[in-house]
Amino acid sequence: MADVALTKADPPARASLDPILQDDALQSQHIHAALEEHKRRGVEMAVLARWIIMPMVAVFLIAVYPEPSQLYYVALLALLCVNGFFIRRFARVGRSRAELGLIMLDLVLMTFGMVVPNPFDPNEMPIPMLYQYDNFMYFFIILATGALAYSWRTVMAIGVWASVIWLGAAGLMWAFMTPDEELARRLSEVLVDWPHVQDLYNPNDVGFRFRIQEAMVFLMVAAILAQSTRRFYLMLDQNADLARERANLSRYFSPNVVDQLSQNDEALSQVRTSRIAILFVDIVGFTRLAEHRDAVEVIELLRGFHGRMEAEVFRHGGTLDKYLGDGLMATFGTPAPGPQDASDALACARAMCVVLDQWNAERRATGEPEIHAGIGIHFGEAVQGDIGANRLEYAVIGTAVNIASRLEGMTRPMQARIVMSDALYRRVQEEGGAAALLRGFHCTPEQTIRGLQEPMPVWALTSL
């Protein structure tokens, strides 16, 4: 395998920083996407709840108070439903002034409907008596639906805003109202023996003790919901991290292997010996190809090659063991063996050749030199498991790995695209994939493999 010497100072620095920046950007994208999805679903649920609850309240008002003047409150409820439509439209992750303004409009509309006398009600009563209807409880609907859609800060803000608006309205009412002395006198005469009841129904008293109590309870509930929402967002961040880790894992293993790894706590920790297929692929003449190119062009070339090769590895159920400069090593049957490991490895090798031919056709069209690669495959016994202490790495080692690497090196003198061992050839036959996969291979007996004492037959494919 040939290594590329990077002589420029700046490109290597960027190359070393790019993976870190890309990982940070990928993590941020996962978290932002998770938050976006949560916000979208939460707002949809909150608005749907509003569109269900508000008509129910309207029906309740008409049923309990069957008077035409109640249509005024029905109209206010309809405005809250319309406001929900705009909240759904402007909702987004992060700060949105339009969204916060619409939430504030919710609270103002509700307060206005509760403390301002109905202009269509012919029965006049002192304004403080409106508080006797205990309508403050409807603020809890806005708070509960807000907990479905917003961050803990916004939920807490709803609690503070609603309390301030409610108490502020009570203060304004007390400051600017005109006391009804006549009604107060008559109630005093009737309830002279019940002073506590008289205080409770004083037509000129807004009942600040009760209003403060309502706001205090509302703030407590808002704080509890905000804490619950905060915990949920922390869990969402953790799930986003897990999704990112799973995505990173899928860059090294095929999807079915990722499923197995994610469902087992110690899927790779146990060291074991098994018979697997090992594949090496390497660019032929890479040193000559890279010597007249700058570092950025070389990296882009390797990315294009690695990307196409790893896609075929994953498509055929293999595991990407490692990148090796201008090549890579893949295994089939790791971490768990399958019934078609040898056939999958050979099918992957042939597919790699097809992909390279397609890529070379594109490169010829743009005046770029062709890329040729040698592929070596072997089926045999290897040891697999985690290695390392604090930083673990999954590894496959053994003589079978060395043989596959030597077979890849033999593609040059044999002028072959794929060279495989007789062990893999026979294993493919046992798996029943001989008809199509073995077409075009010819046997070269008694080949000396460096590292082995005795020669062995190999099979070579010169053209598809």
Side-chain angles (χ1 to χ4, degrees):
M1 303 263 176
D3 294 329
V4 182
L6 303 179
T7 57
K8 295 184 179 181
D10 291 339
R14 289 197 300 270
S16 62
L17 290 176
D18 281 348
I20 299 176
L21 297 176
Q22 290 174 359
D23 287 344
D24 290 343
L26 184 61
Q27 180 179 10
S28 178
Q29 290 174 3
H30 277 292
I31 294 176
H32 187 78
L35 291 176
E36 283 281 5
E37 181 64 16
H38 166 67
K39 184 66 176 286
R40 184 189 66 80
R41 292 184 179 181
V43 171
E44 291 287 343
M45 293 175 61
V47 173
L48 179 61
R50 178 189 299 239
W51 288 348
I52 294 174
I53 293 173
M54 295 306 173
M56 292 175 61
V57 174
V59 172
F60 169 79
L61 291 176
I62 294 175
V64 175
Y65 307 102
E67 300 174 2
S69 61
Q70 294 302 310
L71 295 177
Y72 170 75
Y73 298 110
V74 173
L76 288 177
L77 294 173
L79 286 177
L80 291 174
C81 289
V82 173
N83 196 43
F85 168 80
F86 288 104
I87 288 177
R88 184 179 66 170
R89 180 175 180 180
F90 289 100
R92 65 171 64 94
V93 173
R95 294 185 177 180
S96 170
R97 293 183 178 180
E99 186 178 7
L100 293 177
L102 291 171
I103 295 173
M104 181 70 76
L105 179 60
D106 266 345
L107 304 177
V108 171
L109 281 175
M110 291 188 67
T111 305
F112 183 86
M114 294 175 189
V115 303
V116 176
N118 186 341
F120 304 104
D121 192 348
N123 302 317
E124 295 184 3
M125 69 171 60
I127 294 178
M129 296 297 292
L130 293 173
Y131 284 102
Q132 302 300 328
Y133 290 105
D134 293 328
N135 289 325
F136 185 80
M137 67 181 70
Y138 290 108
F139 276 107
F140 286 94
I141 297 176
I142 300 299
L143 182 63
T145 55
L148 291 174
Y150 305 121
S151 68
W152 67 271
R153 294 183 180 87
T154 305
V155 172
M156 196 66 214
I158 292 175
V160 174
W161 294 345
S163 301
V164 170
I165 293 173
W166 184 248
L167 294 178
L172 290 174
M173 183 179 299
W174 175 82
F176 294 102
M177 73 175 182
T178 302
D180 192 332
E181 300 296 345
E182 177 63 19
L183 181 58
R185 184 185 63 82
R186 292 186 179 184
L187 284 175
S188 178
E189 293 174 354
V190 173
L191 302 174
V192 64
D193 295 329
W194 297 279
H196 295 295
V197 179
Q198 183 179 343
D199 291 340
L200 185 63
Y201 290 101
N202 187 345
N204 299 317
D205 184 13
V206 297
F208 279 110
R209 290 176 299 173
F210 300 108
R211 307 294 78 82
I212 293 174
Q213 178 178 278
E214 290 169 342
M216 183 178 65
V217 172
F218 191 77
L219 280 173
M220 291 179 179
V221 174
I224 294 172
L225 289 178
Q227 180 62 21
S228 177
T229 304
R230 184 172 181 271
R231 289 182 59 197
F232 181 81
Y233 267 76
L234 291 176
M235 293 175 59
L236 196 65
D237 287 344
Q238 293 175 356
N239 287 336
D241 288 338
L242 292 176
R244 176 179 59 85
E245 292 170 4
R246 186 182 178 90
N248 288 337
L249 194 62
S250 67
R251 296 163 61 187
Y252 299 93
F253 300 99
S254 58
N256 58 324
V257 176
V258 173
D259 291 337
Q260 180 180 353
L261 295 177
S262 62
Q263 294 170 8
N264 293 277
D265 294 333
E266 298 181 354
L268 304 179
S269 60
Q270 184 180 3
V271 177
R272 59 192 182 279
T273 301
S274 57
R275 291 174 59 79
I276 62 173
I278 304 104
L279 179 150
F280 279 84
V281 58
D282 186 37
I283 296 178
V284 177
F286 182 72
T287 302
R288 183 177 65 257
L289 185 66
E291 62 183 354
H292 299 301
R293 297 171 180 267
D294 62 33
V296 174
E297 291 178 332
V298 172
I299 293 298
E300 290 300 322
L301 174 64
L302 289 177
R303 285 177 176 173
F305 176 75
H306 288 152
R308 288 168 171 81
M309 297 300 100
E310 74 172 33
E312 295 307 315
V313 171
F314 293 158
R315 191 167 69 87
H316 290 86
T319 299
L320 177 61
D321 187 89
K322 61 177 67 70
Y323 290 118
L324 302 167
D326 57 321
L328 59 83
M329 170 186 167
T331 57
F332 297 79
T334 57
Q340 298 287 322
D341 293 332
S343 299
D344 290 339
L346 183 53
C348 177
R350 298 186 75 111
M352 285 177 170
C353 294
V354 173
V355 169
L356 279 176
D357 290 342
Q358 295 172 349
W359 191 27
N360 284 328
E362 297 173 4
R363 293 178 64 85
R364 285 194 301 269
T366 58
E368 295 289 333
E370 295 185 7
I371 303 297
H372 299 285
I375 303 174
I377 328 173
H378 176 57
F379 187 85
E381 198 170 79
V383 179
Q384 55 179 308
D386 289 336
I387 59 174
N390 296 321
R391 182 184 181 276
L392 298 179
E393 180 177 344
Y394 182 70
V396 177
I397 58 177
T399 304
V401 176
N402 297 331
I403 293 175
S405 179
R406 302 288 187 266
L407 293 175
E408 184 277 320
M410 293 175 62
T411 58
R412 278 72 161 177
M414 298 183 68
Q415 295 184 346
R417 305 189 69 174
I418 302 174
V419 174
M420 65 178 172
S421 65
D422 187 63
L424 188 127
Y425 183 92
R426 287 185 279 106
R427 180 66 179 182
V428 171
Q429 289 181 320
E430 294 174 5
E431 294 175 353
L437 293 177
L438 299 178
R439 184 181 300 114
F441 280 90
H442 63 274
C443 181
T444 304
E446 304 302 318
Q447 289 292 314
T448 301
I449 307 295
R450 184 162 56 93
L452 296 182
Q453 295 180 352
E454 298 181 0
M456 59 179 288
V458 299
W459 294 79
L461 178 70
T462 56
S463 61
L464 295 179

